[in-house]
């Protein structure tokens, strides 16, 4: 379930009834798992106040680390998935702040890895699962080859200080509607 369903018309009833229907799908074996995307802490809190089955939630990358949201999810037992952990570099809505980061590149050069591998390893070490995409066989292989090294404390420290900025705002995709601006402000 995306954020839009829950905030639409600001009726928490909508969220409750949609989530109950999704829980029913799971109970009937029609869905293996049910989850949410782009939910903020307060939206998750509302959902968790009545959910029998807790959701999964997504979206973060080294340049938009969402530490508060991740801590919140961890405390509530909600798994986090990173969709576009490389910043969706070539997509219309993405940018080059992850793959073009000097800090990540410096770590990559020192470790004999690529910037993408350091970025994906960092996401993995945060306990977050990864949904990255490539049309290139070699880059797909490279993206899977991140399990034979660990980032050092010093490298993790550097990563934690990367400039943070939301890569894409919902307002830029959906227009400056009140609800959308409210969600952008909360993230
Ligand atoms: P390509 O398909 O040409 O490899 P995200 O997973 O954050 O949405 O990013 C996907 C983008 O990142 C795609 O444009 C993809 O391009 C590129 N990409 C994926 N893996 C790598 C990699 N290892 N090195 C450089 N670019 C990559």
């Amino acid at each position: 379930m995306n954020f839009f369903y829950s905030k639409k018309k600001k009726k928490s009833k909508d969220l409750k009834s949609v989530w109950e229907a999704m829980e029913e799908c799971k109970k009937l074996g029609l869905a293996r798992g049910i989850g949410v995307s782009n939910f903020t802490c307060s939206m998750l809190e509302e959902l968790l106040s009545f959910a029998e089955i807790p959701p999964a939630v997504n979206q973060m990358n080294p340049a938009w680390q969402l530490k508060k949201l991740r801590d919140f999810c961890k405390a509530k037992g909600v798994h986090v998935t990173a969709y576009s952990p490389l910043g969706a570099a070539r997509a219309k809505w993405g940018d080059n702040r992850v793959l073009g980061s000097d800090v990540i590149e410096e770590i990559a050069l020192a470790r004999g890895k690529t910037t993408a591998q350091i970025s994906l390893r960092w996401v993995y070490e945060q306990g977050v699962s990864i949904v990255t995409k490539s049309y290139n066989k070699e880059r797909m292989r490279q993206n899977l080859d991140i399990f034979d090294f660990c980032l050092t404390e010093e490298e993790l420290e550097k990563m934690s200080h990367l400039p943070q900025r939301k890569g894409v705002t919902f307002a830029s995709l959906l227009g400056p509607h009140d609800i959308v601006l409210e969600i952008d402000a909360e993230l």
Side-chain angles (χ1 to χ4, degrees), residues 93-113:
W93 57 88
D95 60 44
N96 204 34
R97 284 177 306 123
V98 177
L99 291 177
S101 159
D102 291 344
V103 174
I104 305 178
E105 189 184 4
E106 190 187 303
I107 297 172
L109 283 172
R111 298 297 295 265
K113 302 286 175 190

Side-chain angles (χ1 to χ4, degrees), residues 35-180:
V36 297
S37 65
N38 306 321
F39 268 44
T40 63
C41 289
S42 66
M43 290 157 72
L44 270 174
E45 205 144 24
E46 186 184 342
L47 177 60
L48 288 167
S49 70
F50 54 75
E52 280 178 38
I53 303 170
V57 66
N58 73 14
Q59 270 193 356
M60 48 84 69
N61 69 44
W64 187 235
Q65 300 186 3
L66 295 175
K67 178 90 173 67
K68 188 178 131 210
L69 180 61
R70 282 191 287 124
D71 289 345
F72 181 83
C73 289
K74 195 172 178 187
K76 302 287 182 186
V78 176
H79 181 69
V80 177
T81 295
Y83 185 86
S84 280
L86 299 178
R90 284 185 262 284
K92 221 170 24 182
W93 57 88
D95 60 44
N96 204 34
R97 284 177 306 123
V98 177
L99 291 177
S101 159
D102 291 344
V103 174
I104 305 178
E105 189 184 4
E106 190 187 303
I107 297 172
L109 283 172
R111 298 297 295 265
K113 302 286 175 190
T114 66
T115 305
Q117 286 174 314
I118 297 296
S119 304
L120 296 176
R121 178 72 203 186
W122 177 84
V123 173
Y124 173 71
E125 289 189 18
Q126 306 308 302
V128 170
S129 53
I130 295 170
V131 181
T132 193
K133 287 83 65 191
S134 177
Y135 287 107
N136 177 282
K137 222 184 218 178
E138 175 48 37
R139 286 196 283 278
M140 284 181 195
R141 276 207 195 91
Q142 192 190 107
N143 295 347
L144 287 168
D145 187 19
I146 59 165
F147 301 108
D148 64 344
F149 71 104
C150 290
L151 295 169
T152 64
E153 286 298 320
E154 196 188 330
E155 289 163 343
L156 289 170
E157 177 70 11
K158 282 185 187 164
M159 298 285 288
S160 75
H161 293 301
L162 288 173
Q164 296 294 296
R165 182 169 60 81
K166 209 181 296 179
V168 62
T169 61
F170 290 116
S172 69
L173 293 172
L174 303 168
H177 310 293
D178 287 352
I179 297 167
V180 175

